[in-house]
Amino acid sequence: GAVVSQHPSRVICKSGTSVKIECRSLDFQATTMFWYRQFPKQSLMLMATSNEGSKATYEQGVEKDKFLINHASLTLSTLTVTSAHPEDSSFYICSARPSGRGTEAFFGQGTRLTVV
Amino acid sequence: QKEVEQDPGPLSVPEGAIVSLNCTYSNSAFQYFMWYRQYSRKGPELLMYTYSSGNKEDGRFTAQVDKSSKYISLFIRDSQPSDSATYLCAMSALIRGSTLGRLYFGRGTQLTVWP
C-alpha cells in the first residue's frame, strides 16, 4: 500500500512552454500533498504544500505564478511549470500524506525536467 | 543554524559492516522522525517511522531517537551492496495544537557498500 505515482518521469521542453506534472495517490486519500525540488547531491527543497480544495501554501522565494499547483481531488495534485526557462531544469518530487494516518509521507518517483 | 543537520558523507563500507547514520536537530517541538532511502534519480522511499523517543527495529534496520540530545540514528546491520543509496532523515511537529506540519529534511548521507 501507500503508492504514489508521479508522471511523467522525464520531460524535455522548449523555453517558454509550460509543463504539467501529475501526482496521484493510488491506494489512499491524501488531504495534503507536497511538492519538492531537488538539485544534484542536495536535499529536498520544499516548494509548496497543497491541501485538497484550497489554495497551495508556497515557501518563501517560490513564485506562485510560475509554479501553479492544483489539488482538485483527494488523490490528485498537479504542478505546472509555466513559461519554463533552463534554470527551471531540475528534479521535481511530490509526496502525499495519507489522511488521518499521522505524519508519514510517501513519495512519487520524481520528474526530471530539462528545459532547452 | 539549519533545522536539521546531517553529515553528507560519502560513507563507504564493506559488505557485512554495521552502518551508523545520524542527524541532529534544533527544534525541540519535533516529535515525528523518519528515515528515507533514495536511489539515484528516484523518489525517496520511507524506511522507518518513529514517534518521540525510543528504538524501533525492522529487519536489519534500527532507528533510535534521543529527544533529550536532539539526536536520531539509523543503524543498518549486515549491510549489502543493495543498501548503497542516499539516506535522508526527516522530522516533523504538530502545529497549532493538532495539525501536522511539514517535513524538515537533512541533506542526506551518501552510502556505498562494496562487495
Side-chain angles (χ1 to χ4, degrees):
Chain A
V3 177
V4 176
S5 176
Q6 187 174 339
H7 179 81
S9 59
R10 188 175 298 183
V11 59
I12 301 173
C13 70
K14 291 184 178 180
S15 288
T17 61
S18 295
V19 173
K20 180 184 282 189
I21 303 169
E22 289 189 350
C23 181
R24 292 181 185 273
S25 55
L26 297 187
D27 51 0
F28 64 95
Q29 293 185 331
T31 308
T32 306
M33 289 188 175
F34 304 89
W35 287 95
Y36 296 86
R37 185 172 178 175
Q38 187 176 34
F39 294 100
K41 298 190 185 297
Q42 298 292 319
S43 190
L44 294 91
M45 182 189 80
L46 180 65
M47 298 174 66
T49 301
S50 78
N51 291 295
E52 186 265 338
S54 63
K55 289 184 179 180
T57 303
Y58 289 81
E59 294 298 304
Q60 193 172 11
V62 177
E63 299 175 60
K64 59 180 67 175
D65 294 331
K66 181 167 188 60
F67 298 100
L68 300 179
I69 291 172
N70 185 291
H71 192 160
S73 78
L74 286 172
T75 59
L76 174 64
S77 177
T78 60
L79 167 69
T80 301
V81 182
T82 62
S83 186
H85 289 283
E87 57 264 31
D88 298 325
S89 299
S90 191
F91 192 54
Y92 293 87
I93 313 175
C94 71
S95 77
R97 174 178 283 163
S99 301
R101 257 184 65 176
T103 195
E104 298 163 278
F106 299 92
F107 284 81
Q109 306 95 314
T111 297
R112 171 74 55 189
L113 170 64
T114 303
V115 185
V116 297
Chain B
Q1 184 185 10
K2 285 187 176 180
E3 296 268 10
V4 182
E5 298 279 0
Q6 183 177 10
D7 186 341
L11 185 60
S12 182
V13 302
E15 183 175 356
I18 296 174
V19 176
S20 173
L21 304 166
N22 313 291
C23 288
T24 59
Y25 62 95
S26 57
N27 188 346
S28 58
F30 287 144
Q31 296 176 284
Y32 303 89
F33 304 91
M34 284 136 281
W35 285 95
Y36 287 87
R37 176 174 62 194
Q38 186 177 23
Y39 293 111
S40 181
R41 301 183 182 183
K42 300 290 185 184
E45 169 195 8
L46 180 64
L47 275 181
M48 301 287 282
Y49 168 65
T50 311
Y51 170 69
S52 196
S53 283
N55 295 357
K56 185 173 184 178
E57 188 173 319
D58 184 1
R60 296 185 295 112
F61 298 91
T62 300
Q64 287 185 352
V65 175
D66 182 349
K67 290 191 70 180
S68 62
S69 302
K70 298 190 181 69
Y71 187 87
I72 69 170
S73 302
L74 177 71
F75 297 96
I76 307 174
R77 290 183 298 281
D78 188 26
S79 56
Q80 304 293 311
S82 58
D83 294 328
S84 299
T86 297
Y87 290 80
L88 297 141
C89 64
M91 44 200 79
S92 184
L94 292 177
I95 57 174
R96 296 189 291 276
S98 60
T99 303
L100 294 166
R102 54 161 287 190
L103 288 178
Y104 290 84
F105 283 88
R107 281 189 61 185
T109 300
Q110 186 180 344
L111 171 68
T112 300
V113 181
W114 42 275

